[in-house]
Amino acid sequence: MVAKLTYFAMSGIGDPIRLLLSYSNIEFEDIRIGKGEDWQKLKPTLKLPYLPMLEMDGKTHFQTFAICRYLARKAGLNGSSEEEGLAIDATVDTLVDMLKKTVLDYFRPDSEERSKLLKTSLEVTIPFYLNVFEKQLEENNGYLVAGKLTWADIVVLTLGTYLCGIFKVDILADFPKLKEHRQKISELPVIKEWLEKRPADPEDYRLL
Amino acid sequence: MVAKLTYFAMSGIGDPIRLLLSYSNIEFEDIRIGKGEDWQKLKPTLKLPYLPMLEMDGKTHFQTFAICRYLARKAGLNGSSEEEGLAIDATVDTLVDMLKKTVLDYFRPDSEERSKLLKTSLEVTIPFYLNVFEKQLEENNGYLVAGKLTWADIVVLTLGTYLCGIFKVDILADFPKLKEHRQKISELPVIKEWLEKRPADPEDYRLL
């Protein structure tokens, strides 16, 4: 049976899963629902009121990063020791922290407070976290962990790119290693193919 | 070398790590620092401005749940298949969602808005999530996943208890399976021993 991923018609936290499914050559139906009526109808029928939702091998799964880790383990992208697994998980959790501290403020109604918060995001919070990742790339031969491709690279590529799209600036401008990393990961053959074939959405935030 | 865990003088998100270290018989220094000057001095010296921080085998680790998963894998508490690992991770992420949606509002300054938010937490949000866990206990023979002890049980025990302490009510009152689960997990010999010997803190939120 073909797997089914249900999410909204956007990159967001759906793309890391879509990309890992593609990387693993797992055929899946990429169901993209509307945020309005579609979602209001579906929501009360679910175990958790969230998307993305992955249906695979007769089971239904929620929680993006739990799903990503699962697919990564199957694909050999979760490092090759418990220590590497820990470093990958900590990197992903740190990226999620950066997103939580910045993305929600972007979607506040326009106000003086919002402008201040966005300024802090762009000038303080985002550079702080990007600096953490830049150092990891320096220490790990151009990858985030263990000197090789892991699912942390894929999550940072997709969600970092999403953040660039939201803020409509290239937040990586002053981070040469991260720019190089984005280039390198997005040119891996399976990933390149997927980036080229994924459907465009005019409302989406996307840089790549 | 003895491991070192640095956190504040409270249960919070330090206790799941402390409990997993104890469960694994890993000797550790339980460093509890003040939230004021101590923390302001330490913070700028760290890779990430967060606690808890675990120093172990010559490395420094951040990110509570990444650390818990690592300790759980070493202790055999991460399930015995990739599918079980996914179910455990999703359960922990769902608990974290419940905490994020409720705990922060508790610490807002007193106001009418705060009272409304707390009412929603206690009457809607918390029961919704507890119901999810209650069903999982029903389906998994009294454990959250896979019919056996995993680190999800330990995280739900420690953080669920912390939440009870914050709200000063037993949120489990209407959830018989969760009450039974708390009883059962807290009476496992290693866990019981740890609960009895951990230092008391008058400012802490704690039910058990």
Side-chain angles (χ1 to χ4, degrees):
Chain A
M1 209 183 76
V2 173
K4 268 201 233 179
L5 183 77
T6 306
Y7 189 56
F8 305 108
M10 59 190 294
S11 317
I13 52 171
D15 264 16
I17 300 177
R18 294 181 185 124
L19 221 164
L20 281 162
L21 286 166
S22 305
Y23 184 92
S24 310
N25 291 313
I26 297 172
E27 208 189 325
F28 70 104
E29 223 182 303
D30 187 13
I31 301 168
R32 293 165 178 255
I33 70 163
K35 284 182 191 168
E37 209 182 312
D38 279 3
W39 175 226
Q40 290 313 319
K41 239 192 252 170
L42 181 62
K43 196 162 135 179
T45 70
L46 304 180
K47 176 183 172 185
L48 290 173
Y50 310 144
L51 294 179
M53 164 174 78
L54 177 66
E55 293 163 271
M56 197 168 143
D57 305 326
K59 288 198 176 149
T60 302
H61 306 289
F62 293 89
Q63 298 291 7
T64 306
F65 301 103
I67 294 172
C68 285
R69 187 176 301 107
Y70 168 73
L71 295 172
R73 285 165 81 173
K74 283 180 169 282
L77 291 177
N78 197 36
S80 41
S81 67
E82 282 158 9
E83 283 68 23
E84 287 181 7
L86 167 55
I88 293 165
D89 287 350
T91 301
V92 169
D93 287 353
T94 302
L95 179 83
V96 172
D97 288 337
M98 177 175 89
L99 293 172
K100 291 210 164 134
K101 285 177 191 213
T102 56
V103 171
L104 293 180
D105 289 331
Y106 187 85
F107 293 105
R108 282 170 182 256
D110 206 11
S111 71
E112 207 178 306
E113 197 197 354
R114 176 176 180 271
S115 308
K116 266 195 209 160
L117 289 167
L118 295 194
K119 201 170 137 69
T120 307
S121 286
L122 280 169
E123 293 177 7
V124 182
T125 315
I126 293 175
F128 174 84
Y129 282 102
L130 293 183
N131 210 32
V132 169
F133 299 133
E134 186 84 357
K135 276 195 196 139
Q136 284 187 219
L137 292 175
E138 262 170 54
E139 289 162 6
N140 291 286
N141 192 29
Y143 294 91
L144 284 159
V145 178
K148 65 187 174 206
L149 184 71
T150 68
W151 69 284
D153 297 296
I154 289 176
V155 169
V156 166
L157 172 80
T158 49
L159 291 178
T161 300
Y162 180 62
L163 195 67
C164 289
I166 285 178
F167 280 99
K168 295 178 190 64
V169 291
D170 190 355
I171 55 172
L172 303 188
D174 297 331
F175 297 91
K177 298 263 174 218
L178 272 162
K179 280 184 84 159
E180 208 179 285
H181 174 261
R182 180 171 64 195
Q183 189 74 16
K184 182 174 66 187
I185 306 300
S186 60
E187 281 178 0
L188 292 172
V190 193
I191 294 179
K192 195 173 178 208
E193 192 191 323
W194 182 79
L195 289 171
E196 280 164 5
K197 82 173 187 204
R198 66 180 173 167
D201 185 296
E203 280 189 57
D204 200 2
Y205 302 96
R206 188 187 284 178
L207 192 80
L208 272 184
Chain B
M1 211 182 74
V2 173
K4 269 200 234 179
L5 182 77
T6 307
Y7 188 56
F8 304 108
M10 59 190 294
S11 318
I13 51 171
D15 264 16
I17 301 178
R18 294 181 185 124
L19 221 165
L20 281 162
L21 286 166
S22 304
Y23 185 91
S24 310
N25 290 313
I26 296 171
E27 207 190 325
F28 69 105
E29 224 181 302
D30 186 14
I31 302 168
R32 293 165 179 254
I33 70 164
K35 283 183 188 165
E37 210 183 311
D38 279 5
W39 174 227
Q40 290 313 316
K41 241 192 247 168
L42 180 63
K43 196 163 136 177
T45 70
L46 304 180
K47 175 183 172 185
L48 289 172
Y50 310 144
L51 294 179
M53 164 174 79
L54 177 65
E55 293 164 90
M56 198 170 143
D57 304 327
K59 289 198 175 147
T60 302
H61 306 290
F62 294 88
Q63 297 291 6
T64 306
F65 300 103
I67 293 171
C68 285
R69 187 176 300 107
Y70 168 72
L71 294 172
R73 284 164 81 172
K74 282 180 169 283
L77 290 177
N78 197 37
S80 42
S81 68
E82 283 158 8
E83 283 69 22
E84 288 181 9
L86 167 55
I88 294 165
D89 287 350
T91 302
V92 169
D93 287 354
T94 301
L95 179 83
V96 172
D97 287 339
M98 177 176 89
L99 293 173
K100 290 210 164 134
K101 285 177 190 210
T102 55
V103 172
L104 293 179
D105 289 332
Y106 187 84
F107 292 105
R108 283 170 182 255
D110 206 12
S111 71
E112 206 178 308
E113 197 197 355
R114 176 175 179 272
S115 307
K116 266 194 209 160
L117 290 167
L118 295 194
K119 200 171 139 68
T120 306
S121 286
L122 279 169
E123 292 177 5
V124 184
T125 316
I126 293 174
F128 173 84
Y129 282 102
L130 293 183
N131 209 33
V132 170
F133 299 133
E134 186 86 355
K135 276 194 195 140
Q136 284 186 220
L137 292 175
E138 262 171 51
E139 290 162 6
N140 291 283
N141 192 29
Y143 294 91
L144 285 158
V145 178
K148 64 187 174 204
L149 183 71
T150 68
W151 68 284
D153 297 297
I154 289 177
V155 169
V156 166
L157 172 79
T158 50
L159 291 177
T161 300
Y162 180 62
L163 195 67
C164 288
I166 285 178
F167 281 99
K168 294 177 193 66
V169 291
D170 190 357
I171 54 173
L172 303 189
D174 297 332
F175 297 91
K177 298 262 174 219
L178 272 162
K179 280 184 84 157
E180 206 179 287
H181 175 260
R182 181 171 64 194
Q183 190 73 17
K184 181 174 65 186
I185 306 299
S186 60
E187 280 179 1
L188 293 172
V190 194
I191 294 178
K192 196 174 177 207
E193 191 189 326
W194 182 80
L195 289 170
E196 279 164 5
K197 82 174 187 201
R198 66 180 174 168
D201 185 296
E203 280 189 56
D204 200 2
Y205 302 97
R206 190 187 283 178
L207 192 81
L208 272 185

